[in-house]
Amino acid sequence: MKIYSEIFLIQIYLNSGGDMKDFIRSLLLISLTISALIMTGAVFMTESPEIVESTIKYDTNDLIKLIRPQNYVFSFGDLFIKIYDDSYENVPLRSEYEAVFKSFIDAPLEKKLGTSNEDTWNEQLKRKSMRVDYSFDVPLKDLLELYKYNVELNSEEIHISSVLFLLNRKDVIYIYDKQTDKYYSLSGSEPLKWIDELYVDIGQVKLDIDTYKTLEDRYALLQTGLRKYDLEQENLLLTPMALEIDYPKYNIVKEIGEGQPSNEILERYARSIFDDDLDFVKKSVYSNNEIIFIYGYGEKVFKVSGDGSLEYTVKVNENAAKEAIDFKKGLEKSLTQINKMGDTSSTLYMSGYKQIETTNAIETVYYFTYTRDGIPIYFSDMRDGHLIEIRFVNTELVKAKKNIRIAISINLVDPHFKKDFKSIMVKNKLAFELGYINDRPFTTVDAEDLYQMSQQEMSSLETKYMVVGDELIPTWHIVIADTKYIINLIDGELIKDSSN
Amino acid sequence: MCCNTLVIMFVYNEVTKIGKGATMFKKYMIVVFILIATLTLSITSFAIDEDTTDEDYVHIISPVVGESGKTILNDSLFISIYVQAEDTLLLSMIKKEKPIFTFEEEKTEKAEFVDVRPLLTASAASTEEKVTLAEVTIVELSKEDIFSAYQIAEMDLEILTDELEMVTSDIVKISSLLDESLPLYNATYKLTVEETESLSYYEAVMLSYNEAVNEFIMWENRYNKLFETIVVDQEEMIVDPAFPYFEHTVANITPGNYELFITNIEGEIIKTFAFEIVTEDTIAESIKEDENIFGNIFDPDLFE
């Protein structure tokens, strides 16, 4: 090698005509050319940093905690108690419910899944019962698997949107699948544990603010105001009976603090999200208070927006196989990602689930939210109001977005107007009438009956805490005909929803 | 109005046929006639419309009771009423307690008060000043006073009822002689002095009897009111015309008999509704005896 180098150098010297300057110039030129070739090679030959998803293995209980019911409804015949929280006046509602469910599943006889119908469901609702509503349509098989229940149900894919337990009938539970609008009965033998005790406990501690009646029981619209229209379908929607709809409001701040977050905070988040590897991470700050961390050539991006949202995106692998992520696996990965993106509230739960199939991929989205006093939080700046969105394309996580607020103080509000259900609704009468006409342009309902008809067509009423500026406001989310309305329970006024 | 149009069209066609051969004056009179007829019909139509108003409609939606008039106890009683009325209506509700007085002893004690209302003779009827307890100016009576007065009124009524029966039987014969519709009627019959006195006495007793009935009713009402507790005191039923439902919640309700009244400003009762609130245990026991006793609102299965 040394000899060849010497010969090479002598050749260069001779070619330069023996002139030292020319020799040095030639030598430099050749050196530069060789260096360029080497470095170019280095650039193309070096592999990109591998995207490694680190998933923590969670205890099943951690995952089960996320699949919490949205609310529990106890029927006492002509009135109902609707509870949003997992615990109610020291009654451990959720744990008792899960124990009953487990006991039913564990009961000796084989479980038989049968079909039921809406009439039966509505009839059973009036009996002494407990109904559990979920915030999304939980795949039954996945739920049973999560609970490690060994139950074989030979049937099509069923989801639990609601499940009904009758106080005086222990050998059957009823299931409603909102996704397919179907009703089922699940029969077995009588379990060791049932809802008796729970039912009695709730009956003893129930509060006025949690008392509800069905719309038809309350107003008998079919027999009174709307009698001339000969309607047959009773509206069994639960309406609150409290004389004073009284919830506090809260002052809130962004998770990452107000104004520009400090470098220390940003780095902490970035380290957590990029698994402590900031070597290939570049930070950019934009004029609209947006801060972006780009990993590599944009394979992974972490964005902190001026509106307080945190967003993590990963480039989609175009060559990945078309495959839906397993429910449990997706839940684990979601929880891992959420924990990487800041502190997690103990009230965190799964509030939505969607799966969409396209030509080349199956997209799965898990939604999560927090609660305040058991009531779910709704943020109209986020899709469908959920605080956290975790998106998978096939089996890979591609997006995690989080927009959280932290409550820092409570505001007890003195009511300055009559705040029962009827008063609040009548206050917004005109909006409901106009909305009804818009949804039902060919209606033959008389003008003076429009409001009553709009009440008859009310299909949903849920209480949610909503992020409005720097406050967390108690609200009602109501659906009348085809329109959704949000009512601020502090002042009784309508709020515009920008989530869709 | 559409009927008017048809009538007008018909009349016009007919009149046109007549008018073809008529003089100018006659044509003019025909036109005037048509106008008058049209106006009359229109006025009549509107008048009829004004007379056809929806009648006031009050429907008590809640509380819901079974065929036996019973409803289950909850912490609160929810009242819901559909109100379509021109006038202002008021809601009242009372609870009727069971009497707590013992009667036997006091009845014996009060027997002497019978003499307070002496039997009236025919001659004394017109001159004797009638004095009843009701005419005495009473500032405030105790429960015992009211009870006593009620008992006295009851006894007076009993006495006068018996007296009236007796007097009526005495004058039956006389009446049959004086009544045209009866076979014994005698147009020329002349009453004796005793018979005339008997008739006068009968009228006096009848008068006293009617007064006693009124007093009894009054004291009975006052007596019953001793055992009534006002639960809702003339609450004005204010409703929005677009949603004419009145709601009222009575908190901390207890089992018992209740009566709901809907009255107008003048105090006239528009509607009443009596019901009983019972506990579940009461119902359960009753259903064990007779499954159908509580009719449509209770499902016996609930208590199995």
Side-chain angles (χ1 to χ4, degrees), chain A residues 127-128 168 218-219 224 422, chain B residues 80 245 247 280 299 302:
Chain A
R127 299 166 68 92
K128 290 185 176 182
N168 293 308
R218 193 170 185 160
Y219 300 122
T224 56
K422 190 172 69 118
Chain B
S80 174
Y245 294 86
E247 292 181 309
E280 264 191 44
D299 185 344
L302 293 179

Side-chain angles (χ1 to χ4, degrees), chain A residues 76 78-79 126-128 168 203 206 208 213 216-221 223-227 241 243 420-422 426 429 433 448 451-452 455, chain B residues 57 59 61-62 64 71-72 74-76 78 80-82 84 238-249 251 280 299 301-304:
Chain A
F76 291 90
D78 63 339
L79 64 84
K126 296 174 192 173
R127 299 166 68 92
K128 290 185 176 182
N168 293 308
K206 61 186 188 295
D208 281 345
K213 250 184 177 314
E216 185 59 23
D217 279 349
R218 193 170 185 160
Y219 300 122
L221 288 169
Q223 298 168 47
T224 56
L226 299 178
R227 62 190 183 279
M241 296 301 298
L243 294 175
D420 59 286
F421 168 75
K422 190 172 69 118
V426 167
K429 178 181 65 172
E433 286 175 343
E448 63 264 21
Y451 178 72
Q452 292 188 55
Q455 299 301 286
Chain B
Y57 183 74
H59 180 101
I61 300 162
S62 179
V64 175
T71 187
I72 292 181
N74 282 311
D75 292 337
S76 305
F78 174 66
S80 174
I81 303 171
Y82 177 74
Q84 285 276 40
I238 302 171
V239 295
D240 187 303
F243 200 66
Y245 294 86
F246 175 76
E247 292 181 309
H248 185 89
T249 301
E280 264 191 44
D299 185 344
D301 289 347
L302 293 179
F303 300 94
E304 280 178 2

Side-chain angles (χ1 to χ4, degrees), chain B:
Chain B
M1 284 307 291
C2 67
C3 295
N4 293 347
T5 311
L6 287 170
V7 166
I8 291 163
M9 291 298 295
F10 171 74
V11 169
Y12 175 77
N13 287 335
E14 292 304 311
V15 165
T16 310
K17 286 177 201 168
I18 297 165
K20 273 183 181 163
T23 62
M24 197 50 135
F25 176 74
K26 279 185 183 171
K27 285 181 183 178
Y28 173 72
M29 288 308 294
I30 289 165
V31 168
V32 169
F33 166 72
I34 291 168
L35 276 171
I36 292 168
T38 308
L39 280 169
T40 309
L41 278 168
S42 298
I43 290 166
T44 314
S45 168
F46 279 118
I48 290 167
D49 285 344
E50 277 173 3
D51 286 340
T52 312
T53 52
D54 289 334
E55 57 181 59
D56 288 351
Y57 183 74
V58 175
H59 180 101
I60 298 174
I61 300 162
S62 179
V64 175
V65 300
E67 288 165 7
S68 63
K70 292 178 170 55
T71 187
I72 292 181
L73 173 72
N74 282 311
D75 292 337
S76 305
L77 177 73
F78 174 66
I79 299 169
S80 174
I81 303 171
Y82 177 74
V83 185
Q84 285 276 40
E86 295 285 332
D87 300 330
T88 303
L89 299 180
L90 306 172
L91 174 73
S92 304
M93 191 167 105
I94 55 167
K95 184 182 180 184
K96 298 175 178 180
E97 310 281 2
K98 286 188 180 155
I100 55 172
F101 291 103
T102 53
F103 296 96
E104 293 309 317
E105 199 183 310
E106 296 196 41
K107 201 166 186 176
T108 314
E109 214 178 282
K110 296 293 184 260
E112 58 192 271
F113 286 98
V114 171
D115 293 339
V116 168
R117 175 179 287 286
L119 291 174
L120 300 171
T121 60
S123 56
S126 55
T127 55
E128 193 171 296
E129 194 185 345
K130 295 184 188 64
V131 178
T132 66
L133 279 174
E135 289 176 61
V136 174
T137 305
I138 301 166
V139 177
E140 198 173 308
L141 291 176
S142 66
K143 274 196 285 191
E144 287 76 17
D145 290 336
I146 293 172
F147 176 59
S148 300
Y150 169 56
Q151 278 201 306
I152 293 169
E154 190 179 34
M155 279 183 210
D156 284 351
L157 183 60
E158 276 176 25
I159 292 166
L160 281 162
T161 303
D162 292 338
E163 186 67 18
L164 186 63
E165 267 182 44
M166 206 167 64
V167 168
T168 303
S169 63
D170 288 344
I171 64 158
V172 162
K173 189 183 165 200
I174 302 167
S175 301
S176 62
L177 291 168
L178 299 176
D179 192 345
E180 285 178 6
S181 62
L182 294 174
L184 292 175
Y185 174 62
N186 184 347
T188 59
Y189 184 79
K190 207 171 174 190
L191 290 169
T192 63
V193 170
E194 291 78 16
E195 283 170 345
T196 306
E197 279 185 3
S198 294
L199 278 173
S200 298
Y201 183 64
Y202 166 79
E203 282 169 14
V205 169
M206 178 61 90
L207 192 66
S208 298
Y209 170 79
N210 288 333
E211 282 178 6
V213 165
N214 291 335
E215 272 204 33
F216 172 74
I217 290 171
M218 183 196 71
W219 285 112
E220 186 184 46
N221 285 338
R222 287 190 74 167
Y223 173 71
N224 285 336
K225 278 202 177 346
L226 292 176
F227 309 106
E228 290 173 358
T229 313
I230 295 175
V231 179
V232 179
D233 190 10
Q234 299 202 306
E235 176 96 10
E236 192 178 342
M237 296 169 68
I238 302 171
V239 295
D240 187 303
F243 200 66
Y245 294 86
F246 175 76
E247 292 181 309
H248 185 89
T249 301
V250 179
N252 303 321
I253 202 84
T254 53
N257 288 293
Y258 291 84
E259 193 159 359
L260 221 144
F261 301 89
I262 297 169
T263 57
N264 60 20
I265 294 283
E266 284 82 38
E268 292 169 330
I269 295 175
I270 308 295
K271 203 151 191 146
T272 64
F273 178 60
F275 59 97
E276 185 182 355
I277 296 178
V278 296
T279 61
E280 264 191 44
D281 295 336
T282 308
I283 291 177
E285 285 303 315
S286 300
I287 283 181
K288 280 177 191 166
E289 292 163 18
D290 179 358
E291 204 173 85
N292 298 316
I293 192 167
F294 292 114
N296 58 332
I297 69 157
F298 303 120
D299 185 344
D301 289 347
L302 293 179
F303 300 94
E304 280 178 2

Side-chain angles (χ1 to χ4, degrees), chain A residues 81 83 86-93 202 205-207 210:
Chain A
I81 299 299
I83 300 163
D86 286 340
S87 168
Y88 186 73
E89 300 296 304
N90 296 320
V91 176
L93 199 42
I202 294 295
V205 299
K206 61 186 188 295
L207 302 171
D210 303 311

Side-chain angles (χ1 to χ4, degrees), chain A residues 127-138:
Chain A
R127 299 166 68 92
K128 290 185 176 182
S129 60
M130 176 180 79
R131 186 183 89 219
V132 179
D133 299 324
Y134 285 87
S135 51
F136 69 100
D137 309 320
V138 185

